[in-house]
Amino acid sequence: MKYEVLKSERVYTGRAFSVRNDRLRMDRGHIASMDIVEHNSSVTILPVDEQGRIWFVRQLRYPVGDWILELPAGVIEPSEDPRDTAQRELQEEIGVAAESLDLIGEFYLAPGYSTELMYVYLAKGLFASPLEGDLDERIEIVILEKREAYQMVEDGEIRDAKTIAALYLGRSRLGVV
């Protein structure tokens, strides 16, 4: 599909994202209006300790009105390397750093309306290295056996898309069938 951008206008700028409206001429001459959420890229981390357990956070997520079990994650700051973001988020959210961070995948969170690209890192060799977390986050650390975590996905107890995708990407590396 081909298109021509006729007009692009930022209609909202907020702390976490901006929204722009693009008017496009599609390949058959149709004029379309697209609202695009402009969001920095981000990371999610699959932290696995020496016992093979996976470290999660349970976080109060106001938009859905519930506590959500998810993997540590965060937004990449301008000019920050994604690997550095992953290390920082581990330290802020679960109080550890990783000896190794391996990129195991990347995906768009909602390509129909958002520019956000998420990088997924497998973190191993965890050691204590806390940093102060964000003041607007309420986080509890939850450590689960691998099989329990994957069963929780199957049972619908883990409903966070980035967490499900990261667990899927890490499945073979963790020896989970």
Side-chain angles (χ1 to χ4, degrees):
M1 172 181 274
K2 296 180 183 176
Y3 55 86
E4 174 190 358
V5 178
L6 301 173
K7 182 179 180 184
S8 184
E9 176 184 15
R10 181 162 290 132
V11 295
Y12 172 78
T13 300
R15 181 185 66 83
F17 61 87
S18 297
V19 178
R20 74 172 197 261
N21 178 262
D22 290 356
R23 289 190 46 80
L24 310 170
R25 176 174 293 138
M26 308 310 281
D27 58 352
R28 295 184 186 159
H30 171 75
I31 304 296
S33 178
M34 301 276 302
D35 292 324
I36 310 295
V37 174
E38 297 175 324
H39 193 287
N40 285 2
S41 293
S42 56
V43 300
T44 192
I45 309 102
L46 179 54
V48 180
D49 63 21
E50 297 300 320
Q51 292 81 33
R53 301 173 304 174
I54 302 172
W55 291 49
F56 292 85
V57 294
R58 185 179 317 279
Q59 195 164 180
L60 180 59
R61 292 298 194 176
Y62 174 77
V64 298
D66 203 358
W67 288 83
I68 302 293
L69 188 63
E70 58 191 89
L71 291 169
V75 176
I76 300 170
E77 299 296 333
S79 76
E80 186 177 34
D81 182 87
R83 187 177 307 279
D84 294 337
T85 304
Q87 195 73 271
R88 176 177 50 78
E89 290 296 337
L90 281 174
Q91 293 174 281
E92 290 176 358
E93 294 192 0
I94 61 174
V96 302
E99 291 175 4
S100 70
L101 282 168
D102 297 319
L103 181 66
I104 60 172
E106 57 187 60
F107 55 88
Y108 288 99
L109 268 76
Y113 64 85
S114 175
T115 61
E116 185 176 1
L117 176 66
M118 180 163 273
Y119 299 89
V120 181
Y121 288 91
L122 176 62
K124 290 192 170 180
L126 307 180
F127 60 93
S129 181
L131 287 177
E132 187 173 331
D134 295 334
L135 295 175
D136 62 346
E137 291 181 323
R138 291 188 51 205
I139 293 176
E140 299 171 359
I141 298 169
V142 177
I143 304 170
L144 298 173
E145 297 294 331
K146 288 184 291 194
R147 295 218 182 275
E148 181 182 7
Y150 284 93
Q151 189 61 53
M152 290 176 76
V153 171
E154 294 293 324
D155 294 343
E157 295 176 52
I158 293 178
R159 300 180 295 158
D160 176 61
K162 71 181 177 306
T163 297
I164 294 167
L167 286 167
Y168 174 80
L169 288 167
R171 192 173 201 139
S172 65
R173 288 172 176 85
L174 299 180
V176 178
V177 180

